[in-house]
């Protein structure tokens, strides 16, 4: 579900780039990939994505 929402928000290719390259303060200065690898839950990561980007309410 997490990756589906990422793809809906950013598009399939850009979602991968955002997850790999975008460092987020809400994730302790980590990328999405780093946070997930460190054991941060997908729900918490998605909430950080929503707080950082203009995610439509229907995807929250």
């Amino acid at each position: 579900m997490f990756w589906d929402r990422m793809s809906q928000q950013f598009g399939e290719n850009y979602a991968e780039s955002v997850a790999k390259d975008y460092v987020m303060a809400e994730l302790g200065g980590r990328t999405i990939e780093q946070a997930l690898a460190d054991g941060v839950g997908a729900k918490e990561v998605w909430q950080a994505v929503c707080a950082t980007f203009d995610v439509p309410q229907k995807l929250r």
Side-chain angles (χ1 to χ4, degrees), residues 35-56:
L36 291 170
D38 288 346
V40 178
K43 184 175 182 178
E44 184 178 341
V45 173
W46 182 246
Q47 289 171 339
V49 171
C50 291
T52 302
F53 297 96
D54 189 23
V55 176

Side-chain angles (χ1 to χ4, degrees), residues 6-56:
M6 286 288 291
S7 292
Q8 289 175 18
Q9 173 64 21
F10 299 106
E12 192 170 321
N13 293 329
Y14 189 57
E16 293 177 21
S17 177
V18 169
K20 183 175 71 170
D21 299 325
Y22 195 88
V23 175
M24 300 175 62
E26 292 85 355
L27 297 175
R30 295 176 286 190
T31 66
I32 291 168
E33 284 187 350
Q34 290 169 333
L36 291 170
D38 288 346
V40 178
K43 184 175 182 178
E44 184 178 341
V45 173
W46 182 246
Q47 289 171 339
V49 171
C50 291
T52 302
F53 297 96
D54 189 23
V55 176

